[in-house]
């Protein structure tokens, strides 16, 4: 099925959804090293996520012209119908992911779909998400930390994703004054956690991550906790990954940024409420992961997260 002719893989628009596709793309390139894989990206965010990926030859942006005759076929690797809309009048065979099994990780489902497309049916040996910051990204992050007076020998950097993409949507506008959303841990909980950690050890410094829509959260927290480092809206995706590499621990709810942290495989605390942990939880099974889940995010107590943080960074506190 996979011959000398290139293939086109259609990737979704959101960060987390795109990252979920990278193990399956890597499966193909590993087992068919001579195969040329191009990607059709539905957003600039998706393209940034796949930048520098050695498994991919070219990235084609949404609405960018290309020659469909160059490709043997296309693969809708995430399965959603909107991803095939630009191809409706194009003579190009498209293989679509089957209806999603919501009881299993999306990344695993995509991997097995790719495995089943292959007549050789190779074993799946690598499951990690793949991001590729370069030295420029790492230098940029180091400069940010220097500007924020990080003591690289003594400070303990605890990354915190305190918001999520959905707080920018209009339907959540009425909640923004309360700074809440079903997927995120309550803001006042993060504030109490920051105060208690700083009181325990002033070298524990929270590093805030997120996008432009979450600036309101970061600004309010930093007014109360001046030692916190507000890097919300300061990084692109690959710079974010380089930043997470520099952290000692990362705390995140169910967001795309949590999946970026999974690609770094650093110690992590994942906070889950009503979202589907089986489908969108941390992947693959990470060696230094703690998942705290309750029916509602506000039911995850500050004391529970505080104790989990101290346990994760205990070797830094000795």
């Amino acid at each position: 099925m996979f011959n000398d002719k290139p293939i086109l893989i259609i990737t979704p628009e959101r960060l987390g959804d795109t990252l979920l596709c990278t193990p399956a793309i890597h499966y193909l390139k590993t087992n068919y090293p001579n195969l040329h894989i191009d990607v059709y990206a539905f957003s600039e965010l998706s393209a940034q996520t796949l930048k520098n990926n050695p498994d991919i030859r070219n990235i084609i942006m949404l609405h960018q012209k290309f020659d469909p005759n160059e490709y043997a076929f296309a693969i809708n690797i995430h399965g959603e119908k909107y991803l095939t809309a630009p191809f409706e009048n194009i003579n190009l065979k498209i293989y679509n992911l089957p209806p999603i099994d919501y009881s299993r990780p999306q990344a695993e489902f995509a991997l097995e779909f790719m495995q089943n497309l292959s007549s050789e049916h190779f074993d799946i040996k690598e499951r990690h998400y793949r991001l590729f910051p370069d030295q420029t990204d790492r230098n940029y992050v180091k400069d940010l930390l220097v500007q924020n007076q990080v003591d690289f020998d003594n400070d303990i950097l605890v990354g915190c994703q305190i918001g999520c993409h959905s707080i920018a949507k209009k339907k959540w506008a009425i909640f923004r004054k309360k700074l809440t959303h079903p997927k995120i841990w309550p803001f006042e909980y993060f504030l109490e956690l920051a105060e208690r950690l700083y009181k325990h050890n002033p070298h524990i410094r929270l590093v805030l991550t997120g996008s432009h829509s979450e600036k309101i959260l970061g600004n309010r927290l930093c007014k109360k906790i001046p030692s916190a480092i507000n890097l919300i809206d300061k990084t692109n995706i690959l710079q974010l990954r380089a930043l997470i590499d520099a952290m000692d621990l990362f705390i995140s709810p169910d967001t795309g940024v949590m999946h970026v942290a999974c690609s770094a495989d650093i110690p992590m605390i994942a906070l889950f409420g009503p979202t589907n942990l089986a489908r969108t939880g941390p992947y693959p099974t990470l060696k230094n992961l703690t998942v705290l889940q309750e029916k509602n995010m506000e039911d995850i107590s500050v004391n529970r997260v505080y104790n989990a943080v101290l346990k994760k960074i205990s070797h830094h506190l000795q």
Side-chain angles (χ1 to χ4, degrees):
M1 180 175 184
F2 299 103
N3 50 40
D4 294 335
K5 201 169 185 180
I7 66 167
L8 185 66
I9 292 183
I10 309 166
T11 58
E13 59 184 347
R14 296 183 63 176
L15 166 60
D17 291 340
T18 300
L19 262 180
L20 296 173
C21 300
T22 58
I25 295 172
H26 185 57
Y27 169 88
L28 270 189
K29 190 62 178 178
T30 297
N31 294 299
Y32 299 95
N34 295 323
L35 178 66
H36 292 306
I37 300 173
D38 289 355
V39 163
Y40 190 87
F42 259 68
S43 68
E44 180 61 34
L45 186 61
S46 178
Q48 287 178 15
T49 304
L50 300 170
K51 183 181 176 182
N52 301 336
N53 190 320
D55 300 328
I56 296 168
R57 183 182 67 168
N58 293 314
I59 297 175
I60 302 168
M61 294 300 300
L62 179 66
H63 303 311
Q64 181 180 339
K65 291 184 178 180
F66 68 96
D67 181 6
N69 295 317
E70 181 182 355
Y71 301 101
F73 52 84
I75 299 174
N76 177 4
I77 199 170
H78 200 255
E80 296 190 44
K81 291 183 178 179
Y82 81 89
L83 294 172
T84 60
F87 300 87
E88 288 178 354
N89 297 316
I90 294 177
N91 185 24
L92 181 63
K93 170 69 177 177
I94 298 178
Y95 292 92
N96 291 290
L97 193 76
I100 295 171
D101 179 355
Y102 288 96
S103 67
R104 303 171 57 215
Q106 174 72 19
E108 191 74 14
F109 199 58
L111 261 172
E112 291 185 5
F113 171 64
M114 202 68 79
Q115 184 185 47
N116 290 331
L117 281 180
S118 164
S119 58
E120 287 82 1
H121 207 77
F122 299 105
D123 290 338
I124 299 171
K125 297 179 180 179
E126 178 58 62
R127 286 175 160 81
H128 281 86
Y129 302 140
R130 291 166 61 79
L131 281 169
F132 296 92
D134 59 22
Q135 193 58 47
T136 301
D137 299 317
R138 299 189 188 281
N139 290 342
Y140 173 79
V141 165
K142 185 174 181 180
D143 288 343
L144 280 181
L145 297 176
V146 169
Q147 291 166 20
N148 284 275
Q149 300 178 328
V150 169
D151 181 343
F152 292 97
D153 293 324
N154 296 302
D155 284 347
I156 303 165
L157 302 182
V158 177
C160 290
Q161 176 68 21
I162 61 176
C164 68
H165 170 78
S166 296
I167 65 172
K169 294 181 179 179
K170 290 183 179 180
K171 67 180 181 179
W172 292 108
I174 61 172
F175 295 105
R176 292 190 65 168
K177 291 183 180 179
K178 295 195 297 181
L179 304 174
T180 188
H181 181 277
K183 285 181 66 173
I184 66 174
W185 207 41
F187 173 78
E188 60 270 22
Y189 288 21
F190 265 117
L191 181 57
E192 181 183 340
L193 175 67
E195 291 171 337
R196 291 179 62 179
L197 289 173
Y198 181 77
K199 184 176 180 179
H200 183 86
N201 187 324
H203 282 291
I204 300 175
R205 302 188 64 184
L206 267 59
V207 182
L208 310 183
T209 62
S211 61
H212 178 80
S213 62
E214 297 152 56
K215 275 188 171 182
I216 185 173
L217 300 167
N219 292 338
R220 290 198 182 186
L221 190 144
C222 288
K223 284 181 180 179
K224 299 285 187 179
I225 312 293
S227 66
I229 301 171
N230 187 358
L231 298 185
I232 293 175
D233 200 31
K234 297 289 187 181
T235 62
N236 62 30
I237 299 306
L238 296 184
Q239 292 163 352
L240 172 63
R241 165 58 199 271
L243 175 62
I244 291 174
D245 285 339
M247 294 180 188
D248 298 294
L249 172 67
F250 197 78
I251 304 170
S252 179
D254 179 15
T255 66
V257 175
M258 179 200 71
H259 295 295
V260 174
C262 288
S263 78
D265 199 11
I266 68 165
M268 182 165 62
I269 298 172
L271 308 177
F272 270 74
T275 52
N276 189 341
L277 178 63
R279 179 175 180 243
T280 63
Y283 179 88
T285 302
L286 304 173
K287 61 185 178 182
N288 205 348
L289 167 70
T290 297
V291 175
L292 304 179
Q293 184 177 30
E294 295 292 344
K295 184 177 180 180
N296 300 300
M297 291 292 275
E298 58 265 29
D299 295 331
I300 303 174
S301 70
V302 175
N303 200 54
R304 193 174 171 195
V305 179
Y306 174 77
N307 289 331
V309 170
L310 293 187
K311 185 176 181 180
K312 291 285 187 190
I313 64 173
S314 60
H315 58 291
H316 293 292
L317 300 173
Q318 297 173 356

